Amino acid sequence: MTSHTARASRFRRGVKAALGVAASLALLAGCATGTTGDDPATGTGADNGSSDERVGVTLIVKTAANPFFIAMREGAEAAAAEQGIDLTFEAGREDGDEATQIAAIENAIARGDTGILIALNGPGVNNAIQQARDAGLYVIALDTPPDPIDVTDITFATDNRLAGNLIGQWAAAQLNGERAVIALLDVFDDRIVSVDYQRNNGFLEGMGIDVGNPNLIGDEAPTGQYSGGEYEIVGNQATGGAEDGGRTAMENLLSRNPDVNVVYTINEPAAFGAYQALVAAGRENDVIIVSVDGGCAGVGYVADGIISATAQQYPVLMSQLGIEALVTYAATGVAPDVTPGLDFFNTGVALVTDQPVDGLDSIDTAEASELCWG
């Protein structure tokens, strides 16, 4: 059996390899200075490597308040400063705000930007993205793959279904055959967003539960068998990805069934809100809470026993790789490739827990704290 330390070492090598991709992209962009090719902003065949050629990039995130997107912005700003490009930052007023993102895309087109990095708030943004591409901008999705995937030129993202699957496998192992009474805390209940159904259904699949339609939430049987025994799904509740939403969602589900013993949450702010509701109900010590994000606060929650396990993703790497890819594209016309076997560029994910399970790769909170953000 491979040791936990050896598995963690393999993961760290994987992260370093991904960071090496960023360095390679930067080197490619630097070596290509002076190359003549089609100008992605105008299609005129301008000399993109000339010193007076503006390379403008707009980063558009879901909301400026979420630590995940704060980290993404910081990563983009650092990469933009290193590369000497003009970076404009835009954000939705809240998670799901498509109108503000559409306006930001229109502004990027009007400025003559080279490209856009966007964490999409929903499919309502798709037409604006197509307009940007028609205008010659190279558009990279971050964090959330668009639906359909070819709406943008490429996606740099976590494998969200794998992230959910890892915490689902871990939760099933912790139950050790006990009946699972499951509460599912998602982002929305009024729209379909890929990051929502991928994490939710990945978690259920990790538990060994048939989800029915993998691209819909709530299509599974409410009762049945998971990999270790019987399960009951109490319900799905929207949280908006926020702490107060997580608390309210957990209160609602506890009112339906006070015997909940497994809680899946879309992200760590929602998980902390759920924990507060469980404390108020006197249930915090006998419920497994699993989540996705891996921010420094969330890793601390795992270390303190507030969250049982989380799946760590890397927003700084997403935005840095996105910036480097756009610089390379502006200089050479060379577009980045997707990860083999996937339809997007996978920026990595790791299970974080201080209670490792044999046969399931993970890193502990000490190691995760070296890789966290926020």
Side-chain angles (χ1 to χ4, degrees), residues 104-171:
I105 292 168
E106 292 170 347
N107 291 338
I109 296 171
R111 270 193 304 273
D113 279 355
T114 300
I116 294 171
L117 304 173
I118 182 168
L120 290 87
N121 264 332
V125 183
N126 289 3
N127 287 340
I129 290 174
Q130 187 58 56
Q131 291 171 12
R133 295 177 69 187
D134 290 344
L137 281 73
Y138 195 83
V139 183
I140 298 176
L142 301 180
D143 176 55
T144 304
D147 186 13
I149 191 69
D150 61 357
V151 166
T152 57
D153 289 287
I154 193 171
T155 298
F156 286 76
T158 304
D159 187 336
N160 282 302
R161 198 172 294 274
L162 175 60
N165 193 281
L166 290 172
I167 56 176
Q169 289 185 64
W170 185 88

Side-chain angles (χ1 to χ4, degrees), residues 1-11 162 165-167 169-170 310-311 349-353 355-364 367:
M1 183 66 65
T2 303
S3 72
H4 174 63
T5 300
R7 293 196 299 267
S9 177
R10 273 206 312 272
F11 172 74
L162 175 60
N165 193 281
L166 290 172
I167 56 176
Q169 289 185 64
W170 185 88
T310 194
V349 63
L351 175 66
V352 178
T353 179
Q355 303 174 64
V357 171
D358 284 345
L360 185 59
D361 285 0
S362 64
I363 59 175
D364 62 24
E367 294 157 330

Side-chain angles (χ1 to χ4, degrees), residues 18-351:
L19 290 169
V21 172
S24 297
L25 286 168
L27 179 60
L28 177 58
C31 291
T33 299
T35 300
T36 299
D38 289 341
D39 183 344
T42 66
T44 60
D47 181 358
N48 295 319
S50 62
S51 60
D52 60 352
E53 183 72 22
R54 174 185 180 273
V55 177
V57 176
T58 295
L59 171 64
I60 308 170
V61 300
K62 296 181 180 181
T63 170
N66 189 312
F68 182 88
F69 296 112
I70 293 172
M72 184 177 283
R73 176 181 184 175
E74 291 171 348
E77 288 174 340
E82 182 177 347
Q83 295 295 327
I85 68 172
D86 294 338
L87 180 69
T88 301
F89 176 76
E90 302 278 2
R93 294 184 299 272
E94 60 186 2
D95 207 328
D97 173 16
E98 296 173 330
T100 302
Q101 291 197 325
I102 291 169
I105 292 168
E106 292 170 347
N107 291 338
I109 296 171
R111 270 193 304 273
D113 279 355
T114 300
I116 294 171
L117 304 173
I118 182 168
L120 290 87
N121 264 332
V125 183
N126 289 3
N127 287 340
I129 290 174
Q130 187 58 56
Q131 291 171 12
R133 295 177 69 187
D134 290 344
L137 281 73
Y138 195 83
V139 183
I140 298 176
L142 301 180
D143 176 55
T144 304
D147 186 13
I149 191 69
D150 61 357
V151 166
T152 57
D153 289 287
I154 193 171
T155 298
F156 286 76
T158 304
D159 187 336
N160 282 302
R161 198 172 294 274
L162 175 60
N165 193 281
L166 290 172
I167 56 176
Q169 289 185 64
W170 185 88
Q174 295 302 306
L175 286 167
N176 196 30
E178 181 181 354
R179 185 171 183 266
V181 184
I182 303 168
L184 299 167
L185 275 60
D186 302 303
V187 181
F188 300 119
D189 57 10
D190 60 350
R191 70 197 76 179
I192 298 173
V193 178
S194 61
V195 68
D196 216 359
Y197 63 70
Q198 286 172 354
R199 292 182 186 181
N200 180 98
N201 291 345
F203 163 77
L204 292 174
E205 290 166 344
M207 288 279 296
I209 296 171
D210 184 358
V211 300
N213 187 330
N215 297 335
L216 289 177
I217 286 177
D219 199 41
E220 69 284 342
T223 59
Q225 296 286 319
Y226 77 98
S227 59
E230 295 182 352
Y231 78 84
E232 173 188 351
I233 294 177
V234 177
N236 296 77
Q237 286 278 299
T239 67
E243 182 179 321
D244 57 348
R247 178 166 187 155
T248 300
M250 191 72 254
E251 289 170 346
N252 292 340
L253 291 170
L254 284 172
S255 70
R256 294 186 194 178
N257 189 332
D259 296 328
V260 168
N261 62 357
V262 179
V263 179
Y264 155 81
T265 62
I266 182 69
N267 65 7
E268 290 155 1
F272 187 66
Y275 174 79
Q276 292 174 320
L278 290 165
V279 169
R283 293 291 318 284
E284 73 275 16
N285 293 322
D286 51 5
V287 176
I288 295 169
I289 303 176
V290 292
S291 196
V292 179
D293 258 354
C296 295
V299 172
Y301 294 155
V302 176
D304 294 340
I306 293 171
I307 299 176
S308 308
T310 194
Q312 188 172 59
Q313 52 182 346
Y314 304 100
V316 173
L317 185 59
M318 289 178 199
S319 60
Q320 289 179 336
L321 288 173
I323 290 288
E324 300 292 356
L326 282 171
V327 169
T328 299
Y329 184 70
T332 69
V334 175
D337 289 327
V338 298
T339 299
L342 298 174
D343 56 7
F344 61 96
F345 188 106
N346 182 11
T347 53
V349 63
L351 175 66

